[in-house]
Structure formats: structure tokens, C-alpha cells
């Protein structure tokens, strides 16, 4: 069975045929800094819960899957 994109029919088993995007959720906290020291905030990352597979040929969503650790 060949894995193909449901939108354009591209072969998803070929090298670099899919892009995996992992979603990170978090929040920003203000931090007093000079512009030369940093951006002025700290990012607190939370655990991601999903990732997506995107077809690199048509740039459309192939599938969203839960992330298991």
C-alpha cells in the first residue's frame, strides 16, 4: 500500500515529501533587559500535545496526530 497525499496524490514515502510540525504552547513573561542583552521577555514552554503532517508538494494538511511521550 502506497502512502499518498489525499489532495494532490503525491507519494509521501519519498524523501522530504512531508513536513512535520510540532505545536508548542506557552506564555511570555516580561523581563527588564537592555536591548543588547535580550528581547525583553522570557518564554515558558508547555508540553506540546499534537503534531501535524503537511505535504511539501501542495502545502496542505495530511493528518493531525496526538503526541505521545
Amino acid at each position: 500500500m502506497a502512502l499518498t497525499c489525499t489532495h494532490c496524490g503525491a507519494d509521501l514515502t519519498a524523501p522530504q515529501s512531508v513536513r512535520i510540525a510540532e505545536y508548542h504552547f506557552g506564555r511570555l513573561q516580561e523581563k527588564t533587559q537592555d536591548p543588547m542583552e535580550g528581547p525583553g521577555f522570557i518564554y515558558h514552554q508547555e508540553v506540546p500535545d499534537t503534531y501535524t503532517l503537511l505535504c511539501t508538494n501542495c502545502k496542505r494538511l495530511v493528518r493531525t496526530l496526538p503526541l505521545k511521550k
Side-chain angles (χ1 to χ4, degrees):
M1 180 178 119
L3 295 174
T4 58
C5 177
T6 58
H7 305 286
C8 68
D11 179 16
L12 299 179
T13 60
Q16 298 184 0
S17 61
V18 293
R19 175 174 290 190
I20 299 172
E22 184 176 308
Y23 290 92
H24 293 276
F25 298 97
R27 61 184 174 84
L28 298 179
Q29 178 182 353
E30 186 176 1
K31 182 176 181 183
T32 305
Q33 290 179 318
D34 288 330
M36 299 299 286
E37 293 178 354
F41 62 86
I42 299 171
Y43 176 67
H44 296 281
Q45 183 175 336
E46 297 171 8
V47 179
D49 58 357
T50 61
Y51 67 95
T52 59
L53 299 175
L54 303 172
C55 175
T56 56
N57 188 42
C58 66
K59 309 288 190 275
R60 293 181 74 182
L61 177 68
V62 175
R63 190 125 186 231
T64 300
L65 300 166
L67 185 67
K68 296 179 181 177
K69 296 252 178 184

